[in-house]
Amino acid sequence: MRTRTPTAAVIIPAYNAGPTIDRTLESAIASLRYCVDDQGLGAEIEIIVVDDCSTDTTAEKVATWAARAPGGVQVRLVRNAVNRGPGFSRNEGVRQSSGVFLFFLDADDVFYPNHIHTCLKELLADDSLGYVFTRMKIDLPMHGDWTRSLDESCPINFCVRRVWHDMIQGFAEDEDFRIYRTEDTLYRMCLPQPRNGAMLVFTQVSSMKTSRVPSIRPWYFRHCSLRRATFGLSCSEAN
């Protein structure tokens, strides 16, 4: 029987995200409050923004959110000493967190209100699950094959147990992956294959990106069925 309060973290890497960070944080807080207040899921969830040496107002805006976050909501600002890219920033956010369940959200994207609750509910119901992921709503015209590939390659639409993140040693931080922005796709590809069937969690996240897709090399993508992955051991034993 589960006796400890589950802990989760929403990690947001940010670089010069002044124009979008308010909307991103508002959506993450709304999804957190829906999970805890509206649905009564007893979880401790923190939001960590890792500022990657922004030269705009990103850090100041996050600091304002941290100071005036509503009761029960913890928003933290972590600042990199030098610009390291999104892979390092996500890993640093994990290192700075105590969450057992990890969400990743880019600073120009948003969560739907039910996203955190829907993912956590599935993971808490089955200790053998390693991660779950959802569909994405992308505000760009693109071929249907791209949308399916993005569902399975982006980090913003899934929740993963920390033990799995640690097992694959997090996101790639090498310069090549930083240049081509493929560290997120490699991360998803490194997660172990499922063994016990398939399921799609029905919620969405929304992407406001306008230039990311053309910059990703398509041969990094795999086309595979929508699924959720499973542990070969109990996560309660692993933790």
Side-chain angles (χ1 to χ4, degrees):
M1 179 180 296
R2 188 180 303 277
T3 58
R4 292 180 298 175
T5 300
T7 58
V10 179
I11 310 298
I12 305 175
Y15 176 71
N16 287 348
T20 59
I21 191 65
D22 286 331
R23 184 186 179 199
T24 297
L25 282 170
E26 183 177 7
S27 77
I29 291 173
S31 188
L32 185 160
R33 297 301 294 266
Y34 176 84
C35 176
V36 175
D37 297 343
D38 295 351
Q39 296 300 314
L41 196 157
E44 297 177 358
I45 307 171
E46 60 182 342
I47 299 171
I48 299 178
V49 180
V50 182
D51 178 54
D52 199 17
C53 294
S54 297
T55 58
D56 66 356
T57 60
T58 298
E60 289 77 6
K61 288 187 174 183
V62 175
T64 299
W65 276 98
R68 63 177 177 88
V73 176
Q74 182 180 13
V75 178
R76 294 171 51 199
L77 171 64
V78 175
R79 305 185 76 165
N80 291 340
V82 295
N83 182 272
R84 297 292 299 271
F88 176 91
S89 297
R90 293 190 188 100
N91 291 340
E92 182 62 17
V94 174
R95 287 189 285 267
Q96 294 287 335
S97 79
S98 57
V100 173
F101 301 98
L102 304 175
F103 293 85
F104 299 98
L105 178 62
D106 287 352
D108 57 353
D109 295 327
V110 296
F111 280 165
Y112 277 65
N114 65 333
H115 180 69
I116 291 177
H117 175 258
T118 303
C119 291
L120 282 182
K121 181 180 67 174
E122 294 297 329
L123 288 167
L124 290 171
D126 188 347
D127 281 345
S128 71
L129 287 178
Y131 68 92
V132 295
F133 68 98
T134 75
R135 298 301 305 271
M136 293 174 58
K137 179 180 182 295
I138 302 174
D139 297 332
L140 279 174
M142 64 177 62
H143 191 277
D145 287 344
W146 271 106
T147 60
R148 288 190 291 272
S149 293
L150 289 170
D151 284 341
E152 299 178 6
S153 60
C154 285
I156 67 172
N157 65 326
F158 81 122
C159 179
V160 62
R161 293 183 191 265
R162 189 189 191 104
V163 65
W164 271 34
H165 174 90
D166 292 341
M167 180 172 59
I168 64 172
Q169 299 181 26
F171 289 87
E173 300 177 8
D174 304 287
E175 187 65 17
D176 285 345
F177 291 99
R178 177 179 176 180
I179 292 172
Y180 294 109
R181 296 296 304 275
T182 50
E183 79 293 330
D184 49 2
T185 304
L186 178 65
Y187 184 94
R188 292 288 298 269
M189 292 176 69
C190 285
L191 290 173
Q193 297 296 309
R195 289 187 288 175
N196 297 330
M199 190 184 97
L200 173 66
V201 178
F202 288 101
T203 180
Q204 290 183 323
V205 294
S206 178
S207 176
M208 300 178 285
K209 299 190 189 316
T210 58
S211 62
R212 180 190 181 104
V213 173
S215 71
I216 298 179
R217 292 186 173 186
W219 57 79
Y220 278 95
F221 288 116
R222 295 181 306 162
H223 293 271
C224 49
S225 61
L226 294 170
R227 60 179 179 259
R228 65 179 179 178
T230 60
F231 270 121
L233 73 163
S234 167
C235 288
S236 59
E237 294 173 355
N239 289 318

